[in-house]
């Protein structure tokens, strides 16, 4: 499967915006791109400035998916997937999730899969998001905050990925200000050096102009 797995250093760090920008940029280049997110939680929370993850991803992917095709498992409470499933009286089935991801990718030129929270989030008590990325055999792109605390969170994520044998293609600091602070520029250089990785940046995006920010990402290198 050609594609990327977009993970992050935490929940709420910009994974969906990054994944959607990648989808929009690939679609703009004439690629048929499918999006996937194994589990969406927190649907009880009203959407803010941005639509729910599966809705935003479905709006920029161009392989004919509905939002429910993008995310086969959906829960209301804003809790970890394994717990959301438990509250709903069910258990997520890793094989079914992987099968749904492959079905989404079928006929597409690329699959962009967003994780859930960070790499060590349980989908079931014995199966982490990291295991799912391994099962899909996709390389990672890591969304991370630009500011204070990001060096630690990013290096922990890279180490957890590499320990498991995952291939990290790049870090993306998001949202990246037009005039980044000294701290932010220093964080970018420090992460690049200590992780031995490319650290790209994603400018502030609008939901209706995601290709504008995705276009500058070096997607050919990552794919
Ligand atoms: N490039 C960006 N442009 C605009 N806003 C951004 C950007 N990057 C991050 N944000 C901010 O971060 C918030 C969270 O982004 P996003 O929903 O993509 O995070 P996430 O990691 O997918 O969260 P979740 O764990 O819930 O899936 C956005 O609502 C927005 O406020
Ligand atoms: Mg998200």
């Amino acid at each position: 499967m050609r594609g990327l797995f977009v993970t992050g250093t935490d929940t709420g760090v910009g994974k969906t915006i990054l994944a959607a920008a990648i989808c929009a940029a690939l679609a703009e280049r004439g690629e048929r791109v499918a999006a996937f997110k194994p589990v969406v939680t927190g649907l009880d929370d009203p959407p803010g400035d941005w639509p729910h993850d599966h809705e935003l991803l479905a709006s920029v992917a161009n392989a004919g998916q509905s939002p429910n095709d993008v995310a086969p498992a959906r829960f209301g409470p804003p809790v970890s997937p394994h717990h959301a499933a438990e509250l709903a009286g069910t258990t997520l089935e890793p094989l079914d999730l992987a099968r749904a991801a492959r079905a989404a990718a079928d006929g597409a030129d690329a699959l962009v899969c967003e994780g859930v929270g960070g790499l060590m989030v349980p989908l079931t008590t014995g199966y982490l998001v990291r295991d799912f990325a391994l099962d899909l055999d996709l390389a990672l792109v890591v969304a991370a905050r630009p500011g204070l605390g990001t060096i630690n969170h990013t290096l922990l994520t890279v180490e957890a990925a590499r320990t498991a044998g995952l291939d990290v293609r790049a870090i993306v600091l998001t949202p990246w200000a037009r005039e980044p602070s000294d701290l932010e520029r220093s964080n970018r250089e420090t992460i690049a050096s200590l992780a031995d990785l490319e650290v790209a940046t994603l400018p502030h995006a609008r939901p209706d102009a995601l290709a504008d920010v995705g276009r500058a990402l070096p997607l050919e290198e990552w794919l």
Side-chain angles (χ1 to χ4, degrees), residues 109-202:
D109 299 316
L111 177 72
V112 177
C113 181
E114 180 190 348
V116 191
L119 273 186
M120 306 293 266
V121 163
L123 297 178
T124 74
T125 49
Y127 186 83
L128 309 179
V129 166
R130 181 170 75 168
D131 299 313
F132 188 61
L134 279 166
D135 281 347
L136 296 190
D137 199 19
L138 291 175
L140 297 190
V141 176
V142 181
R145 297 187 179 97
L148 188 64
T150 201
I151 296 176
N152 178 54
H153 290 151
T154 304
L155 296 181
L156 286 171
T157 299
V158 170
E159 184 159 311
R162 287 177 173 161
T163 298
L166 286 163
D167 173 12
V168 184
R169 289 284 153 84
I171 309 296
V172 181
L173 299 182
T174 179
W176 190 249
R178 224 171 290 167
E179 291 183 23
S181 66
D182 174 67
L183 169 76
E184 291 167 340
R185 277 186 275 114
S186 170
N187 283 344
R188 184 181 185 183
E189 282 164 25
T190 304
I191 291 168
S193 154
L194 293 180
D196 192 21
L197 278 171
E198 175 186 6
V199 181
T201 60
L202 194 72

Side-chain angles (χ1 to χ4, degrees), residues 27-137:
E28 186 183 65
R29 292 178 196 189
E31 298 217 26
R32 191 172 162 85
V33 55
F36 193 74
K37 166 139 183 154
V39 187
V40 176
T41 62
L43 295 178
D44 287 346
D45 292 341
D49 294 343
W50 292 82
H52 288 302
D53 292 13
H54 57 316
E55 288 162 0
L56 183 69
L57 292 170
S59 76
V60 285
N62 64 355
Q65 298 171 282
S66 71
N68 290 358
D69 296 330
V70 169
R74 300 170 304 279
F75 299 102
V79 299
S80 170
H82 78 292
H83 188 47
E86 187 177 62
L87 292 173
T90 181
T91 310
L92 292 163
E93 178 45 64
L95 282 178
D96 289 345
L97 295 176
R99 212 173 286 130
R102 289 200 187 87
D106 192 35
D109 299 316
L111 177 72
V112 177
C113 181
E114 180 190 348
V116 191
L119 273 186
M120 306 293 266
V121 163
L123 297 178
T124 74
T125 49
Y127 186 83
L128 309 179
V129 166
R130 181 170 75 168
D131 299 313
F132 188 61
L134 279 166
D135 281 347
L136 296 190
D137 199 19

